[in-house]
Amino acid sequence: MRILRDICLVAAAIAALTSAVSAATPELKLTIGTEGAYPPFNSVGPDGSLVGFDIDIAKALCAEMGADCTFVTQDWQGIIPALQSGRFDAIVSSMAITDEHKKKVDFTHAYYRTTPAIVVRKDSTLAGVAPEDMTGRTLGVRGSTIHSRYARAKYKQSDIRTYPTIAGYEHDLAEGQLDAAMDGRIVLDTWLKTDAGQCCRLLGMIKPDPGLHGQGAGIAVRKGDTDLVNRFNAAIAAIRTNGTYKRINDKYFDFDIYGD
């Protein structure tokens, strides 16, 4: 009987210790903000669920951190203000790590990189992607992005037209209302493979300008949230090492997007 009593006491002590540890280290709960309109990185699927490379990477990072994560969508122009106001804890939405963005948010290490490019209609007579090639031409781009800032800084002799989502410039280019459109190569390539994108072709790629295009896409958090940045960075390193990143990468791309 004494042995049974001792066993019960030990079990009770272990249960109490486990409970105390759990209470001291509560589960990490995070809300992730994303645009949901930037395929193949983030978009809303036919069933209403969020899909894409950003979403899969975010889920993998949350699993690595042991975090309970929920996702919300937010229009691109308002995504940083929404983070700052506390609507969500992090942005996983292909946001470029630029000096301008760093004034408003803190970033993790880059989790992918992409080269900017220009697309045109298949019947276009444009010969190159340089600013002089685009003189007097209409150039569509998603607003409030590295591409719109680059276009305004470098293509001063062009008519720059900005759109709230990529669907806007895709439609106008297909309908002949634009001469060209600029975005990341991967986003443009993805569109060109769709039925709607059969109107158009890749004209060429642009050498990235680090000062305007940044240092790749990172996860943004509120200024000063160093602990969350460190958690995400550790998780990024872990999924790069354990093969999870490659599995997700290969689901969407036939090259390593980490170092595009």
Side-chain angles (χ1 to χ4, degrees):
M1 292 296 293
R2 180 177 179 181
I3 293 175
L4 180 59
R5 184 191 65 186
D6 290 345
I7 291 174
C8 290
L9 289 173
V10 170
I14 292 173
L17 179 61
T18 301
S19 178
V21 170
S22 297
T25 56
E27 182 181 31
L28 179 63
K29 293 181 181 293
L30 297 174
T31 302
I32 307 295
T34 194
E35 182 185 13
Y38 197 59
F41 295 101
N42 57 81
S43 58
V44 179
D47 62 354
S49 63
L50 282 165
V51 296
F53 179 80
D54 284 336
I55 309 305
D56 287 358
I57 287 293
K59 288 179 178 178
L61 295 176
C62 288
E64 184 65 35
M65 296 187 294
D68 177 14
C69 293
T70 56
F71 292 79
V72 297
T73 57
Q74 171 69 49
D75 67 89
W76 184 253
Q77 284 78 6
I79 203 163
I80 288 180
L83 172 70
Q84 293 170 326
S85 68
R87 182 166 187 246
F88 34 80
D89 303 295
I91 298 170
V92 186
S93 195
S94 296
M95 180 169 285
I97 304 171
T98 65
D99 290 340
E100 182 175 346
H101 284 153
K102 285 179 182 178
K103 296 174 183 177
K104 303 173 183 177
V105 299
D106 285 344
F107 279 104
T108 64
H109 300 321
Y111 64 96
Y112 83 83
R113 295 168 177 79
T114 186
T115 303
I118 287 179
V119 291
V120 295
R121 288 181 55 83
K122 287 182 176 177
D123 58 2
S124 173
T125 58
L126 280 167
V129 299
E132 53 268 27
D133 295 316
M134 295 287 171
T135 298
R137 303 296 188 120
T138 53
L139 178 61
V141 65
R142 188 174 61 141
S144 301
T145 64
I146 54 175
H147 304 294
S148 61
R149 285 189 286 275
Y150 182 81
R152 292 194 182 284
K154 302 295 184 179
Y155 291 72
K156 296 183 182 296
Q157 302 306 313
S158 299
D159 177 9
I160 308 301
R161 301 182 183 178
T162 59
Y163 297 82
T165 67
I166 64 175
Y169 71 64
E170 290 173 348
H171 173 273
D172 282 4
L173 182 60
E175 293 296 315
Q177 298 174 33
L178 288 173
D179 292 310
M182 179 189 295
D183 210 317
R185 176 176 68 92
I186 295 169
V187 169
L188 297 175
D189 278 345
T190 299
W191 177 59
L192 293 176
K193 293 174 183 177
T194 67
D195 290 341
Q198 294 305 299
C199 60
C200 303
R201 61 183 172 86
L202 186 72
L203 179 61
M205 290 180 283
I206 299 167
K207 182 179 179 180
D209 179 334
L212 291 169
H213 291 118
Q215 297 82 47
I219 298 168
V221 304
R222 282 182 287 278
K223 294 289 288 183
D225 198 347
T226 304
D227 178 65
L228 189 54
V229 168
N230 291 339
R231 286 174 182 251
F232 271 121
N233 280 339
I236 291 170
I239 67 170
R240 285 287 297 170
T241 300
N242 64 24
T244 301
Y245 186 99
K246 185 178 187 306
R247 175 178 55 78
I248 297 171
N249 183 105
D250 294 350
K251 176 181 174 180
Y252 295 94
F253 314 112
D254 58 5
F255 59 95
D256 185 5
I257 192 176
Y258 190 77
D260 175 35

